[in-house]
Amino acid sequence: MKGCRLIALAAIGLGLIATPQARADGSGAVSAASLVRPGDLVFGNPHGKVTIVDFYDIRCPPCRHMDRRFKRLLRHDHDVRYVPVAYPILGPASVLGTEAMFAAGAQGKLIPFRARLMTQKRPPTNAILKTDAKALGLDWRRMEFAMNGDGVIHRIQANLRRGRSLGIHEIPTLFINNTKIVGSVSYADLVSLVHAARKTAEAAARGAASSPSSTHGT
């Protein structure tokens, strides 16, 4: 089991927190929907016209700011599918916390455990994670075993591979339908980006519906 953890740690590159000024990156733009994988955590409307995929690290301050903005967005906009992808590239503490988060999921507590990790000031340690687990009514011995299991390690490795294949080395990195954003954005800008993505999706749908190939009897 320790060997699996070492492999995961070795997979981490030099992770960077994105500069305060977010920037659009049109290079190799991909559809956010195409990045969603079975087993990903999904918030909001699973069938929303706008899909947001968010590569984040639990210890990244801008990622935490964005987490609050996404929660606010989802309270007001019910046409958004938000998919956070845990991407622990800021060191061993990030990997440890992410292991714990996924292990908590085996006991049905991934979301509340994630919420604790995204608000704590201190880096995760086994002692802190044990306290968190007990506060949420989790079986710590079972959780600790799962943290070192192949399932959790492979899930982290899969997320790391997904991010590396997209050239992601700064966090947060967001994909909003067909737009890639590196860095955090204000709530107002987030709303504007989502609005623009929805308009583009609706226009594309209208165009597809009115195209000759979609007309019966032609």
Side-chain angles (χ1 to χ4, degrees):
M1 300 298 184
K2 290 182 179 179
C4 291
R5 178 174 289 182
L6 288 174
I7 291 172
L9 289 172
I12 301 172
L14 182 61
L16 300 173
I17 296 174
T19 57
Q21 183 63 45
R23 60 189 184 277
D25 183 353
S27 60
V30 298
S31 163
S34 72
L35 301 178
V36 181
R37 300 288 181 267
D40 279 343
L41 191 60
V42 176
F43 292 97
N45 182 352
H47 307 292
K49 291 187 181 71
V50 177
T51 295
I52 301 174
V53 175
D54 170 26
F55 285 81
Y56 75 98
D57 187 296
I58 58 170
R59 296 180 56 232
C60 160
C63 299
R64 293 180 171 197
H65 294 320
M66 288 305 304
D67 187 62
R68 292 193 292 271
R69 291 165 193 154
F70 287 128
K71 289 177 180 176
R72 180 181 174 187
L73 174 71
L74 295 178
R75 285 196 299 268
H76 298 284
D77 190 327
H78 305 295
D79 193 29
V80 173
R81 172 174 60 161
Y82 170 58
V83 183
V85 178
Y87 193 55
I89 59 174
L90 295 182
S94 294
V95 173
L96 181 65
T98 304
E99 288 173 349
M101 180 178 71
F102 287 152
Q107 297 183 52
K109 294 291 181 71
L110 190 156
I111 292 175
F113 207 93
R114 177 181 182 271
R116 292 180 75 94
L117 290 170
M118 293 292 282
T119 57
Q120 286 177 336
K121 294 181 180 180
R122 294 180 296 172
T125 64
N126 279 314
I128 291 173
L129 295 171
K130 182 177 181 180
T131 299
D132 290 339
K134 290 185 174 181
L136 292 172
L138 294 163
D139 181 335
W140 171 248
R141 293 185 65 180
R142 179 183 163 196
M143 182 171 158
E144 191 174 28
F145 182 80
M147 286 169 62
N148 291 281
D150 289 347
V152 166
I153 300 302
H154 291 166
R155 186 169 180 179
I156 293 174
Q157 290 176 331
N159 282 2
L160 292 170
R161 286 195 298 270
R162 193 179 349 176
R164 287 200 307 272
S165 71
L166 296 165
I168 296 174
H169 61 274
E170 294 179 86
I171 47 174
T173 291
L174 318 173
F175 294 83
I176 303 177
N177 278 8
N178 297 310
T179 300
K180 178 181 177 182
I181 303 292
V182 180
S184 62
V185 297
S186 69
Y187 180 71
D189 286 342
L190 177 61
V191 170
S192 295
L193 287 163
V194 168
H195 178 73
R198 181 178 294 113
K199 288 294 185 183
T200 299
E202 290 172 347
R206 287 194 299 270
S210 62
S211 66
S213 62
S214 66
T215 303
H216 293 292
T218 58

